[in-house]
Amino acid sequence: MNMPALAFDAHTHIFPDAIGPRVVAQLAATLPLPTSYNGTRDGLLRKLAEAGIAGSLNAPVATRADQVDAINIWAAEQNRWPILSLGAMHPDYPDIPTELRRVKDRGLPGIKLHPEYQGFAPDEPRLDIIWRTCRELGLIILLHAGNDWQFPPPCRANPAAIARVVRAWPGLTLIAAHFGGFEQWEAVAHELVGLPLYLDTSFAVGFLPDDQFVRLVRQHSSARVLFGSDAPWQDPPATLAAFRRLPFTPPEQHAILWANAARLFHLEEHACPATSAARKEPSCM
Ligand SMILES: [Zn+2]
């Protein structure tokens, strides 16, 4: 049986057109790798089309609490297929439960948090209000994990701290970006693999040995791994090609590239609302 070649990129970034090119150029100047596009929605759409990726998830980071309101209004406008969007939150935001309820009411599937840009450790008690409210509301959290080249080590979002959150908040839907801890692959293997959280593949494929990556995915379960590129910091077409070269079985590939994200983000409803009730896989793209 031929598996459908559907793919969804569960970790991408777009910015408002007025600031995207400047933000991306500034960050790009500090990075050792070329960027994929200029940070705009149109730029990402062209890259998704080039890669044959059906859709993606935008992950906005509020670097200050006073940015949260405006980002979430903008994110709700951007949350339309083929680009879905998370909302933003910041631990210093004055009324976290009320804003998370607005995130939910606006139809956003969850929020992005970044411990380095936002200055917190995942297992700090002041984060409890975010974990508790997201769990209550069924909001998904995409959490930056591991090192970030913009910040000197040690990183706040280390695998042991993330494991403490997972154990303290059963039922929380947490996605740890960068396969649970960029450049902390040994700690990921010891602390996170096998726990009930999702790991995305961004800045992992090609950053640890392929055989180690494949082994860890299988130990963790391909049912809890999501393909992500972290575009524009990586190139979706190149990242997808690198992932497809790995020796995963077709069912494993399908789970990581599409099915897990489809389950979490209700992709069939977004991609082809008219046929999703009648079909298991969308055929309208
Ligand atoms: Zn990212």
Side-chain angles (χ1 to χ4, degrees), residues 11 13 112 230:
H11 188 151
H13 298 280
K112 168 77 187 270
D230 206 1

Side-chain angles (χ1 to χ4, degrees), residues 37-158:
Y37 57 92
N38 65 357
T40 62
R41 183 180 177 100
D42 282 351
L44 174 56
L45 287 172
R46 276 194 293 275
K47 280 294 178 179
L48 296 178
E50 181 189 330
I53 294 173
S56 85
L57 182 70
N58 173 46
V61 176
T63 54
R64 299 191 319 265
D66 64 6
Q67 297 172 333
V68 168
D69 291 354
I71 290 176
N72 286 340
I73 291 167
W74 172 80
E77 292 163 8
Q78 298 303 315
N79 184 35
R80 57 186 200 274
W81 191 257
I83 298 177
L84 305 181
S85 184
L86 296 170
M89 185 37 70
H90 192 291
D92 296 337
Y93 190 83
D95 186 353
I96 289 170
T98 300
E99 183 60 14
L100 287 176
R101 222 163 288 274
R102 275 195 287 262
V103 164
K104 174 84 177 174
D105 291 345
R106 287 182 175 124
L108 301 171
I111 56 166
K112 168 77 187 270
L113 293 175
H114 197 305
E116 303 301 333
Y117 280 101
Q118 299 178 326
F120 70 88
D123 53 346
E124 276 181 58
R126 68 190 177 112
L127 268 289
D128 286 357
I129 186 68
I130 297 183
W131 310 133
R132 180 181 299 113
T133 312
C134 283
R135 185 171 69 173
E136 261 171 39
L137 296 174
L139 291 171
I140 294 165
I141 296 152
L142 173 59
L143 178 72
H144 168 86
N147 293 349
D148 185 308
W149 285 335
Q150 302 293 328
F151 297 85
C155 70
R156 294 175 160 99
N158 59 74

Side-chain angles (χ1 to χ4, degrees), residues 1 30 41 93 110 121 125 134 148 170 183 188 204-205 213 217 219 222 226 264 268:
M1 188 185 97
T30 69
R41 183 180 177 100
Y93 190 83
C134 283
D148 185 308
E183 293 177 335
V188 168
V205 178
F213 177 72
V217 167
Q219 282 172 10
S222 58
L226 299 165
L264 280 178
E268 276 83 359

